[in-house]
Amino acid sequence: MPTDADDRVYYVISDLHVGGEEQLGEVEALPELLDFLERLERTDENTELIVNGDAFGLWEITSVEGTAKFDHLTDTYPRLFEQLRATGDNVTITLLPGNHDHELAAYDEYVERFAAYNVNLVQEESLTRRVGDRVVYFEHGHQQDPNNRIEDWGNPNASPLGYYYNTLVTSRAGQLSDRGRYNWLKDVQAVTPTERMPVWLLSKYFYREMNPLLRYALVPFLLLFNVSAVLAVLAGLSVADIWSTPVELGTAFLGQFGAAGTALWFLLAVNVAIAGLLLLVGIPLYFLRRDVRKTIDRFGVFETTLTVDAEVPYEKAARERFAADEETAIYCYGHTHRPALSEVEGGVLVNSGTWLKRLHRRDGAIGVLPPVFYPSYQLCAVRIAAEADGVAVEFEEIRKPSPSPEELTLTERLLTVGRKPDPDLPERAEIPNERPATQPEPAE
């Protein structure tokens, strides 16, 4: 049941993902998080901070087991825990487990240990709070995700598919990240949905790990591949003596530019030869690829429309929640790392985003170059407060400079000129104290 109505202001953050093996232990947004907590330490508002799941990356800590992970966290991030204690002296801090820190619900000892730092650990799947005349429902959101749903809540041995992915893949990536160029593998946690992982790895290999000489040798071919494929068809028509006009006109045109035209003609000829060979091989491979792709899509291994459009299950869950309880007007969750606010039948659906880096996919505009994953930060806190006529929900931005100048190669920056992501946080929403009456169905 929700707590009694009061004049509290609620701040909601989620998906901090503090902790992990080796390079995953680096929390890039820690300075901003400490500043935010210090601000709440000084606030005069009657405030409760709700950390809505995945505050800690316990799945990614495999060197210790059980509640020993708490000691690992306090030893690694002493400033964070001291600031939690200081902030908790002034405002209420409530921590709800997510999937990455589900172990917090499995051991009662965690409740006492967090209480020592003025953090109230709620070992349930969800909680509610009354704001004015309405009720806010909070859950992390992983229970709507089949790959991370935990059926036996509170069981320390509960192991959904996502558990194995993070303990075997993500944690290992943290251990190996500093072996690569520019230490990029630690960003594995920011790749969402996880079905996007194969494409992200291909992209980072091409733009980061590939030998620069080989990459720059391949770039002209890849950029001209679409053109070369067309020229290969035209060359075939000319050789077959079906239609030679385009080839003759092209040769004559390039001949006007002397040595430069000859060099370009040679480059195009090489590309046409390779493209022609690929086209011949590609015809039978096309049908094989299409059949394999359909099979992969059914199993959801790679990125598909279904996996990317992750909000649909939450919209359904919110509608069911609003229908079951007319007082509930806000369904607040995290998990997908995408700050969002939308109206659904009966109330408002709110995603509190993430404090991890976000990677925005930008597909190549030309050629067959791998997509670029453009990094940015979209740190935020959701503020929920009662007003005279209802409840206001708004996002407060926490600014952090974009890491793109240091993390993107020159090629990636050139390919994303004019295509940089500029994601805006959702606009403020106001929910009236009473749900609008449902319009009766017209008589037949």
Side-chain angles (χ1 to χ4, degrees):
M1 294 297 291
T3 59
D4 293 336
D6 55 29
D7 61 346
R8 271 189 176 177
V9 173
Y10 295 91
Y11 285 90
V12 189
I13 59 177
S14 68
D15 297 272
L16 310 176
H17 291 273
V18 175
E21 304 284 32
E22 301 293 339
Q23 301 301 311
L24 297 182
E26 179 183 350
V27 182
E28 295 176 334
L30 184 58
E32 289 76 15
L33 177 59
L34 292 173
D35 288 345
F36 173 71
L37 292 173
E38 288 175 3
R39 177 161 67 89
L40 293 184
E41 179 188 356
R42 300 187 300 269
T43 186
D44 294 329
E45 293 180 315
N46 180 11
T47 300
E48 179 176 0
L49 171 64
I50 295 178
V51 186
N52 198 14
D54 282 1
F56 303 100
L58 299 187
W59 273 357
E60 291 79 16
I61 301 176
T62 61
S63 57
V64 293
E65 298 292 334
T67 54
K69 293 184 180 182
F70 188 89
D71 297 317
H72 177 84
L73 291 172
T74 55
D75 292 343
T76 308
Y77 311 101
R79 286 191 61 201
L80 172 60
F81 279 85
E82 287 305 319
Q83 186 57 59
L84 286 171
R85 175 182 281 148
T87 303
D89 278 335
N90 185 50
V91 305
T92 300
I93 303 177
T94 300
L95 174 61
L96 192 68
N99 54 308
H100 286 258
D101 51 15
H102 165 253
E103 293 171 58
L104 299 180
Y107 300 96
D108 292 339
E109 182 182 339
Y110 275 123
V111 176
E112 296 180 4
R113 303 202 69 179
F114 272 103
Y117 291 92
N118 293 325
V119 176
N120 301 318
L121 172 61
V122 177
Q123 294 183 303
E124 304 295 332
E125 297 179 58
S126 63
L127 59 85
T128 56
R129 292 291 185 267
R130 184 176 293 280
V131 182
D133 294 334
R134 308 309 296 270
V135 171
V136 185
Y137 172 85
F138 297 95
E139 71 167 37
H140 177 61
H142 60 279
Q143 296 296 69
Q144 312 303 329
D145 176 358
N147 290 329
N148 289 285
R149 181 182 299 122
I150 298 172
E151 302 293 349
D152 189 8
W153 184 259
N155 181 351
N157 298 314
S159 304
L161 179 61
Y163 168 81
Y164 295 104
Y165 174 83
N166 283 279
T167 55
L168 299 176
V169 178
T170 306
S171 63
R172 185 62 176 163
Q175 298 168 23
L176 300 176
S177 185
D178 59 355
R179 299 187 186 182
R181 301 176 191 266
Y182 306 100
N183 200 7
W184 56 269
L185 195 55
K186 66 176 188 269
D187 289 339
V188 63
Q189 295 183 103
V191 181
T192 58
T194 54
E195 292 84 359
R196 187 169 278 180
M197 182 65 62
V199 179
W200 177 71
L201 289 174
L202 171 64
S203 172
K204 301 314 290 184
Y205 166 73
F206 182 82
Y207 294 112
R208 280 298 189 189
E209 294 298 324
M210 182 180 284
N211 185 292
L213 294 177
L214 178 60
R215 179 170 62 247
Y216 290 126
L218 284 174
V219 164
F221 167 73
L222 293 174
L223 287 174
L224 292 172
F225 181 80
N226 291 344
V227 175
S228 299
V230 175
L231 292 179
V233 174
L234 295 176
L237 294 175
S238 179
V239 170
D241 204 22
I242 297 174
W243 188 31
S244 59
T245 302
V247 174
E248 294 172 355
L249 290 176
T251 303
F253 176 75
L254 292 176
Q256 301 177 36
F257 299 96
T262 302
L264 182 57
W265 184 92
F266 178 77
L267 176 63
L268 287 174
V270 172
N271 275 269
V272 166
I274 297 175
L277 178 62
L278 291 177
L279 285 174
L280 288 175
V281 176
I283 292 173
L285 288 180
Y286 167 77
F287 295 100
L288 176 62
R289 177 184 179 276
R290 186 174 67 172
D291 187 70
V292 170
R293 185 69 186 186
K294 287 181 179 179
T295 303
I296 289 174
D297 286 351
R298 285 198 301 272
F299 286 96
V301 178
F302 291 135
E303 181 181 349
T304 65
T305 303
L306 178 62
T307 59
V308 173
D309 189 10
E311 310 309 316
V312 173
Y314 302 99
E315 293 174 358
K316 179 177 181 293
R319 283 193 294 268
E320 292 175 352
R321 175 68 51 178
F322 298 150
D325 178 14
E326 292 190 355
E327 286 188 316
T328 302
I330 301 171
Y331 185 108
C332 187
Y333 71 106
H335 188 59
T336 67
H337 295 188
R338 302 175 185 179
L341 189 153
S342 59
E343 293 186 9
V344 300
E345 184 179 351
V348 171
L349 184 65
V350 181
N351 187 305
S352 46
T354 182
W355 286 58
L356 285 177
K357 186 182 300 173
R358 294 195 65 199
L359 301 175
H360 307 266
R361 176 172 174 165
R362 292 293 180 267
D363 290 317
I366 53 177
V368 290
L369 289 174
V372 173
F373 286 83
Y374 201 98
S376 73
Y377 291 102
Q378 200 176 13
L379 313 183
C380 62
V382 178
R383 185 179 188 274
I384 304 173
E387 296 193 338
D389 299 325
V391 179
V393 182
E394 56 188 324
F395 284 77
E396 292 193 3
E397 180 182 9
I398 289 89
R399 294 187 177 276
K400 184 174 180 62
S402 171
S404 58
E406 298 80 23
E407 296 187 2
L408 293 181
T409 63
L410 175 61
T411 305
E412 289 174 298
R413 292 198 295 273
L414 290 174
L415 291 173
T416 53
V417 169
R419 306 172 67 208
K420 300 177 183 178
D422 187 20
D424 294 325
L425 291 172
E427 296 291 334
R428 168 189 169 101
E430 296 183 5
I431 300 96
N433 283 328
E434 295 183 3
R435 183 183 298 187
T438 303
Q439 297 295 324
E441 294 290 336
E444 293 185 0

